[in-house]
Amino acid sequence: MSGVRVRVRVRAWVAAGAVAGVCAGFVLVPGVASAARVPEADLAFHGTALMAGDTVDVRLTPRNNGPAAVPDATVRLRWSVPLAVAQQLPARCVREDERTVVCSTGALAVNGVGEQVMVPVRLMEKASEVTLEIGTVWGGGAVDRDHTNDELKVLVLDTGDVYAF
């Protein structure tokens, strides 16, 4: 049968109840695609970092510039050098790996400022400088299209000076 095309037309009758069950939860509008709308937020992180010896103190204040509220978000703090094995982190922070800590920001209202997150860490070894990378890991289910204010790199020198970001 090579080269022979067979055309089959099938008609099926489905009970109205079955169609309603299959379509439950969908709104059918001719010519319009329907999708769940994802909320948008604009998270920002501002704060300071101070290094003295083998200790770096970070104070970070989260902000949500809107347009949607964020029930909670997670910020990642990653250092360019390994951290000491033993750390005394705040309850809202956990160690992710040898150089990284992640912290919860808590709820952030539209145009709201969150509670300051204070993260003191000890370095594995004393360093003359470290680079601290700050970035959003999770935005509470909201999309953040502007990463200019929530993905930052800060050079912190062991001078005892406070570096602002």
Side-chain angles (χ1 to χ4, degrees), residues 81-147:
V81 299
L83 302 176
V85 174
Q87 298 288 333
Q88 291 186 352
L89 298 172
R92 62 201 289 180
C93 298
V94 295
R95 185 90 176 254
E96 185 177 56
D97 61 33
E98 72 173 3
R99 299 183 308 130
T100 311
V101 172
V102 293
C103 300
S104 167
T105 65
L108 298 168
V110 175
N111 294 320
V113 176
E115 185 180 319
Q116 185 179 64
V117 180
M118 293 183 283
V119 185
V121 296
R122 287 186 321 103
L123 306 176
M124 181 75 76
E125 297 176 2
K126 187 176 183 317
S128 60
E129 67 181 44
V130 296
T131 301
L132 170 60
E133 295 178 27
I134 302 157
T136 303
V137 178
W138 180 67
V143 173
D144 186 346
R145 299 185 196 288
D146 177 13
H147 293 291

Side-chain angles (χ1 to χ4, degrees), residues 1 3 5-6 25-27 29-30 38 49-50 58 64-65 75 90 100 102-103 113 116 119 122 127 135 148 152 158:
M1 290 185 78
R5 271 173 89 167
V6 178
F26 293 97
V27 175
V29 178
V38 177
L50 173 127
V58 177
N64 176 15
N65 297 317
V75 62
T100 311
V102 293
C103 300
V113 176
Q116 185 179 64
V119 185
R122 287 186 321 103
T148 60
L152 311 163
D158 184 16

